[in-house]
Structures are given as structure tokens and as C-alpha cells.
Amino acid sequence: MKTRITELFGIEHPIIQGGMHHVGYAELAAAVSNAGGLGVITGLTQKTPELLACEIARCREMTDKPFGVNLTFLPAVNPPDYPGYVRAIVEGGVKIVETAGNNPQKWLPALKDAGIKVIHKCTSVRHALKAESIGCDAISVDGFECGGHPGEDDIPNFILLPRAAEELKIPFVASGGMADGRSLVAALALGAEGMNMGTRFIATKEAPVHDNVKQTIVAASELDTRLILRPMRNTERVLVNAATERVLEKEKRLGSSIQFGDIAPELAGVYPRIMQGGDMDAGVWSCGMVAGLIRDVPSVKELIDRIMAEAESIIAQRLAGMLR
């Protein structure tokens, strides 16, 4: 399947594995790239630029296909060593970067000078247009369904994707609610050039997370996510668990006076205990509504091959068969 995204990134299938904290390690990125998609290492999961350089080298030992690095720019009192991370990406020979969070404009010259293609994650058309205007090569359009941070506009992909198609000149992929061949065909029909999957890739054999996490996703329905941090305008979609319920109770009780410190025990530093330790109630963790469409834990290659076969069948048989 040839789209502007496969051409831009030099990949076989228009499927991207999004950056995910304490999930996007070399094992998963290499598996996705080897299966014909675009695997992505999560930069800030590596605590230092030196560790990221090692992770990039480790991924390169596992695949000779293109892969990317996610770099999320967050406001912080003590920000990460972003110049160091950018240097590790450039010196590691990575040619694709997925940026997220704050405006990446400050970092684009160094990336562009190294011949790196940048795809920026956006939850609104206005932010996507800004990313296009500053020189990003592609956009990952995140609808309200997505796990993690869906923004504050609450626009689902059935509206957001065609709006993006009306406004953008650069290619974009659909993110949020993507799981199978149906998702891919729908995304293409709405104007996207491919899709980005996060939660679906966690429930694969190669995902370097505890089996409890994978089985929890398989067991979850589309009703099992909640939105937290709305009072702080930093909304996050997470899977419901005991920690999520505690956060929601505090938000309800404290209202607009809530501070991050009030809910820090449920959020700060919990990902290793969940993703690697398998303690499913240790804290809150990002998960998309797409969990309702996930029913197995295949290998990455099995998943991508299945998606492409299903997409091709829908296009060539079901849709073509409807034409008179």
C-alpha cells in the first residue's frame, strides 16, 4: 500500500507505532519496523541522552529498516537535557523523529540540518496548521478517543480527520481508536495517509511490558477508560483502576483548588511498577478506548500482516463490491 506517509518515511505499510512511556523500547520499535511499519523509541523513557544513544544502537542491531525516536517537550522546573537528546538522535543516525507536547520549533533547525523528518502530534487542526507552518513534515492527528493526552477540545476522529484533510497540505496519520484493518481503511477514507497505534501495540508479544498489562487491555472494554486532570487542563485518558478512582474522587472533592501534589502518589513515578512490575493498581496509566477492540496478544508481524490483509480485503471486496 503506497501513501504519502510510506513514501516520506521509506516504509512498506502506513502503520506507525507511537511513542509510549516505558513501552517504546528497542525491542518493540525493531519488531514494528521489521514487520514493515515504523517503530518508535520513546526518548524520555531513557533517563539520559547517553542511555538513549545506547537504545538507538541496540535498535539498530535488531533492524536495518527505518525507525524513529519520540521526543516529548514538556514544561518543567528542571527540564530534561533536550540538547543532549537531540544530539543523541542526530549522532545515532536516526532519520525520523516524532515530536509531541510543546511547540518543537526551537529544535527543528538541528533536526532538519541532520536530514531528519519530523512528525508532530496534534489534537486540533489549529495546532496541526502551526506545526505545518514551522516546517514539520507530517502530523499525527490525535482524536478524543486516544489514550494519553487528547487535548481539551474533545473532537473525535470522525470529525477531526476530515477537518485536517480540508486544511493541511502535508500528510497526516490518524491516531486514537486505531486497531485493525477497519481502522486503517476508515482513516484513509477520512483523508489520512496512514495510522498511528499505541494501545494496540502494547498487547503484542514483543511489547516489553508485564503480561498483566497485556491481559488487562485484552479484558477491558471500550467503557473502561476515564479522563483525569481535567481541572488542570492537562486531560489524560487512562484505564480505570483503583488509582484512577482515587484521582477522580479527589478531583470531585477538591474541585478547582486541586493541586498536582494532591494526586502525585497516583501519578509520579508509577510507570515502572505498572509496566515492568505488573502491579495494575500502582497508579494511573494511559490507555485508549480502543481497548474494546483488542482481543488477543499476537506477534507484531502477525498483527501488521493481519491489518494489511483485512484492509486490502475491505477495499478490494466489500467496498468495491458496493459500486454499481
Side-chain angles (χ1 to χ4, degrees):
M1 187 179 285
K2 180 179 176 181
T3 75
R4 287 198 289 165
I5 284 292
T6 64
E7 296 290 288
L8 179 66
F9 296 139
I11 55 179
E12 183 180 357
H13 306 307
I15 298 173
I16 298 174
Q17 167 245 317
M20 293 174 283
H21 205 36
H22 289 278
V23 179
Y25 291 98
E27 292 88 346
L28 181 57
V32 173
S33 292
N34 284 333
L38 179 66
V40 175
I41 294 169
T42 305
L44 295 187
T45 292
Q46 304 299 320
K47 294 183 178 179
T48 66
E50 292 74 22
L51 288 173
L52 176 58
C54 291
E55 195 71 3
I56 291 169
R58 205 162 67 87
C59 192
R60 204 168 293 290
E61 290 175 358
M62 292 185 248
T63 185
D64 59 0
K65 304 286 182 66
F67 63 90
V69 172
N70 165 279
L71 201 50
T72 299
F73 299 107
L74 299 171
V77 176
N78 298 304
D81 179 9
Y82 286 120
Y85 283 106
V86 170
R87 189 166 56 251
I89 290 167
V90 171
E91 292 177 355
V94 174
K95 293 303 178 184
I96 302 160
V97 167
E98 176 192 61
T99 55
N102 287 354
N103 187 327
Q105 184 169 11
K106 176 181 176 181
W107 310 100
L108 288 185
L111 297 172
K112 292 290 189 174
D113 288 348
I116 292 170
K117 304 293 186 187
V118 176
I119 179 168
H120 186 60
K121 296 188 73 164
C122 299
T123 60
S124 70
V125 173
R126 64 186 182 280
H127 292 152
L129 285 169
K130 178 63 176 179
E132 179 180 73
S133 74
I134 64 174
C136 291
D137 300 282
I139 304 293
S140 177
V141 175
D142 276 28
F144 185 55
E145 307 92 329
C146 73
H149 297 279
E152 307 302 322
D153 292 345
D154 300 358
I155 308 298
N157 269 328
F158 230 76
I159 307 301
L160 190 58
L161 297 176
R163 279 290 296 119
E166 288 176 350
E167 301 285 347
L168 292 172
K169 296 180 179 67
I170 59 175
F172 65 92
V173 297
S175 183
M178 303 291 122
D180 52 30
R182 297 170 299 181
S183 311
L184 178 55
V185 174
L188 296 173
L190 293 172
E193 305 276 344
M195 68 179 182
N196 176 303
M197 299 195 304
T199 303
R200 173 66 270 200
F201 275 127
I202 301 178
T204 58
K205 288 185 169 69
E206 292 89 344
V209 301
H210 198 284
D211 192 57
N212 288 356
V213 180
K214 302 177 187 184
Q215 296 307 322
T216 297
I217 291 172
V218 170
S221 82
E222 67 275 17
L223 303 174
D224 291 328
T225 69
R226 300 289 185 271
L227 296 173
I228 63 169
L229 308 184
R230 298 232 91 172
M232 301 179 186
R233 294 190 59 78
N234 188 29
T235 301
E236 183 176 3
R237 185 178 298 282
V238 300
L239 198 74
V240 66
N241 63 9
T244 301
E245 298 289 8
R246 289 194 297 271
V247 171
L248 291 171
E249 187 279 325
K250 288 179 182 177
E251 288 183 350
K252 182 177 180 181
R253 176 162 46 86
L254 298 174
S256 60
S257 65
I258 194 167
Q259 302 290 321
F260 181 77
D262 298 319
I263 52 176
E266 282 79 26
L267 280 83
V270 299
Y271 265 72
R273 291 160 57 197
I274 298 165
M275 294 297 167
Q276 277 70 56
D279 181 353
M280 302 316 300
D281 287 318
V284 301
W285 56 285
S286 297
C287 181
M289 297 172 81
V290 76
L293 298 176
I294 298 172
R295 299 182 180 90
D296 62 355
V297 184
S299 71
V300 166
K301 186 178 189 315
E302 288 168 345
L303 175 61
I304 290 180
D305 286 352
R306 185 169 74 196
I307 289 171
M308 295 311 301
E310 184 182 9
E312 289 166 15
S313 174
I314 292 170
I315 294 167
Q317 297 177 34
R318 185 168 190 268
L319 297 184
M322 290 177 178
L323 297 176
R324 294 288 188 268

